[in-house]
Amino acid sequence: MNSTEARELWAIIGRVMSDSARDAASQTGIPPHRLFKTVARETVLREVTAVFLRANGRGALPRESAEEARAYLTHALLTFIERGRAALHTDPPRP
């Protein structure tokens, strides 16, 4: 991958992460900036990039690869939030 391709990839991944955060925020009411304060951004970046590159490797166009990565991240964020909320409601109060 040359430097131009790398810059394009980072721009796409940045948009995917931003769009997914807005998608999750609209469904949960948690602002995007708060979502990214609670997740490990390096892990998110690595996973989203991997999903994008796998889709691209299968021959998907960059836009299709980005949509696949966006769907993956939005689902992951929503699952993270649901599990967190469930844990807060099922754990006994601490003294």
Side-chain angles (χ1 to χ4, degrees), residues 2-85:
N2 65 38
S3 62
T4 301
E5 292 171 329
R7 280 192 300 274
E8 289 173 2
L9 174 61
W10 288 119
I12 291 169
I13 297 303
R15 283 191 303 272
V16 164
M17 291 176 68
S18 177
D19 291 347
S20 291
R22 280 194 304 275
D23 291 346
S26 72
Q27 294 181 47
T28 63
I30 300 171
H33 68 279
R34 287 191 57 213
L35 284 173
F36 282 111
K37 285 184 178 181
T38 61
V39 297
R41 280 181 249 171
E42 295 81 16
T43 301
V44 170
L45 182 60
R46 184 178 56 247
E47 292 300 315
V48 168
T49 302
V51 171
F52 179 88
L53 291 175
R54 273 195 304 274
N56 197 263
R58 290 192 314 268
L61 297 173
R63 183 178 195 96
E64 295 166 336
S65 299
E67 275 303 312
E68 188 171 324
R70 180 181 178 175
Y72 168 84
L73 180 56
T74 300
H75 175 73
L77 287 170
L78 292 172
T79 300
F80 173 77
I81 292 164
E82 288 171 10
R83 287 181 181 165
R85 286 181 173 168

